Amino acid sequence: MVSRVIPVQPFDLVIFGGTGDLARRKILPALFRRFCAGQMAEDARVIGAARGDMNAAGYRGFARDAITEFDGDITMMEAHLARFLEQVDYVTLDAAGDVGWPELAAKLTGADHTRAFYFSVGPALFGPLATRLYDHGLASPGCRIVVEKPFGRDLASARKLNAVLAEHFDETQIYRIDHYLGKETVQNLMAIRFANTLFEPLWNSQYVDHMQITVAESGGVGTRGGYYDKSGAMRDMMQNHIMQLLCLTAMEPPAKYDPDSVRDEKLKVIRALDPVEPGDVVRGQYESTDTLPGYRNEVENRDTTTESFVALKARIGNWRWAGTPFYLRTGKRLRARASEIAVVFKDAPHSIFGADAGRHRNILTIRLQPNEGIEMGVTIKEPGPGGMRLVDVPLDMTFSEALGPQSEDIPDAYERLIMDVIRGDQTLFMRGDEVEAAWAWTDPIIEGWEAAGTQPELYSTGSSGPDDALALIHRDGRRWREIKP
Ligand code: NAD
């Protein structure tokens, strides 16, 4: 069913937190899809490990339900599913105690299998898990650990976590996951920039007026309110996902597409970021509507000052980007679920068509969701008689249309990233120093809010965010791109 699949070596993948929400919605369905694609060797094994008292048969039932629920119609794949489940096992284990570890050790196969441990548990257990793995002799030199977000909640905690992991694992064994990096379009951003000669000469402050990165969600915090209220948009989205998009958009061409060359260049971008002026950042909280609860009701905390929206103007102090602002925004309960990077080029230096032709700009849009794809806005003559009137039209390349049936085989982010872990490719994972540098940039913003004791600005559900976020860009004579599905 899939072309050009590169098989991976046999592996034992242990999912700590194997009965949790992430395992159910993302990890197990992703593994099943890779199995169907022929990427999982017959003796590869997936071992769920969690606190819950369950046997292997019970866990196979759990995995079957998860895959059936999140993988759409799998009636045609029933035989595949039965075979996949034969490769699934379970062990009851305490990540912070000693229960279950000898049983886990007994289930792991020999050195011919790549060993990967997925930390899909709460962040408080990341450190204890690393230590237990070492204490029980499972931290073999070739093994890998996959660490979920959040990686710390500030620079100090991220440093501490990096130090705990480094006690038992080399940096080459640590895979800090940011699923945005597994998205097809995000990797395409690198292909567009560095495999074409068309864009790179223009990719600088001489030709780019500004950049906009938007990650908009239409839903609220839902059942994740308890977690989210301790985090907020800055920690949950800006410090990691948006920062990664910013890095890939702004970085210099790496000498090679290999993990450290790419990550060295991303790190340079983060380190070149100027501190954000207090007037250049806006935070908001969504209000209740007639039918939907507001942020405060949803998180059941009337006094919370946690932001469900943040917009800011970032500046990168280097030769390439001095003078080109990067406007970044993310939030919940906005007009639509839409994420994109927009490269807004400068106006033509002189219009030979006169003032009546209007102001027209080239905008390159990289859409992350929905409908992953790339769109280049070009200005052409409006058809028909009656003089030279100009109009902007898109040169659209929606992947699903451009690539035809092949696009249906595009793996989702978790599929790609888990297989990269097994292959030992860290290019799309964050290095420890990158994470720390990102916190070093976001910490002062959060501390500034805390010190000022101000409230986030309220915004309406279905809007583009608070009014001050509009003002943030309007005062520079620019405007946000419309958030549309
Ligand atoms: P969850 O609460 O649904 O599941 C937690 C899992 O950990 C369960 O399997 C539970 O049995 C297990 N567990 C808890 N304490 C344990 C212990 N002492 N020993 C062994 N197992 C223990 O959490 P989740 O939503 O699946 O999230 C897991 C991790 O992934 C978290 O770090 C979270 O921040 C991150 N994450 C989750 C999502 C998501 O969509 N759910 C998205 C991104 C990142």
Side-chain angles (χ1 to χ4, degrees), residues 16-26 49-52 90 93-97 118-123 125-126 129 148-150 177 179 224 227 241 414:
F16 293 113
T19 56
D21 179 64
L22 187 70
R24 200 169 66 85
R25 286 191 309 112
K26 294 289 179 187
R51 230 174 3 185
Y90 182 78
L93 172 145
D94 184 2
Y118 199 129
F119 292 11
S120 183
V121 290
L125 290 172
F126 294 163
L129 263 182
E148 261 300 336
K149 81 169 205 186
I177 205 160
H179 72 275
R224 290 178 70 226
Y227 157 77
H241 305 316
Y414 279 90

Side-chain angles (χ1 to χ4, degrees), residues 255-406:
K256 282 188 247 145
Y257 185 72
D258 71 23
D260 280 334
S261 304
V262 172
R263 298 186 299 178
D264 285 347
E265 295 306 334
K266 288 198 293 167
L267 179 62
K268 284 186 210 163
V269 174
I270 307 176
R271 291 197 172 147
L273 282 166
D274 291 341
V276 176
E277 301 288 331
D280 283 345
V281 55
V282 174
R283 61 186 173 141
Q285 264 180 4
Y286 54 83
E287 286 181 300
S288 53
T289 68
D290 291 344
T291 50
L292 291 168
Y295 177 79
R296 290 175 181 207
N297 305 95
E298 234 174 353
V299 302
E300 294 175 10
N301 180 357
R302 292 189 57 76
D303 304 318
T304 179
T305 56
T306 302
E307 74 290 354
S308 61
F309 174 98
V310 65
L312 60 85
K313 178 159 77 170
R315 295 171 197 275
I316 302 173
N318 64 17
W319 270 60
R320 187 187 282 261
W321 294 119
T324 296
F326 286 67
Y327 298 96
L328 316 176
R329 64 179 166 167
T330 181
K332 294 188 178 291
R333 284 270 193 90
L334 296 176
R335 184 167 294 154
R337 177 172 174 266
S339 301
E340 64 166 39
I341 300 167
V343 186
V344 183
F345 290 92
K346 288 189 173 170
D347 293 341
H350 165 70
S351 171
I352 65 168
F353 306 111
D356 291 348
R359 195 170 112 162
H360 295 272
R361 283 192 154 174
N362 297 124
I363 301 178
L364 175 71
T365 314
I366 296 128
R367 278 194 312 268
L368 273 62
Q369 63 196 19
N371 306 327
E372 285 197 61
I374 292 154
E375 186 181 288
M376 179 78 218
V378 291
T379 304
I380 60 163
K381 178 188 169 301
E382 199 176 298
M388 200 61 161
R389 291 185 309 275
L390 301 182
V391 62
D392 292 333
V393 293
L395 281 180
D396 192 345
M397 197 190 88
T398 302
F399 291 157
S400 56
E401 286 166 18
L403 299 174
Q406 208 184 329

Side-chain angles (χ1 to χ4, degrees), residues 7-71:
V8 298
Q9 65 270 35
F11 60 85
D12 288 348
L13 172 68
V14 179
I15 313 171
F16 293 113
T19 56
D21 179 64
L22 187 70
R24 200 169 66 85
R25 286 191 309 112
K26 294 289 179 187
I27 305 173
L28 289 165
L31 285 164
F32 175 58
R33 287 195 290 271
R34 287 298 88 202
F35 175 89
C36 293
Q39 228 170 3
M40 255 178 80
E42 274 179 17
D43 56 349
R45 279 168 346 127
V46 175
I47 304 168
R51 230 174 3 185
D53 205 3
M54 201 185 262
N55 60 19
Y59 192 59
R60 288 186 190 123
F62 173 86
R64 170 182 281 279
D65 291 347
I67 292 162
T68 316
E69 184 177 351
F70 294 102
D71 240 5

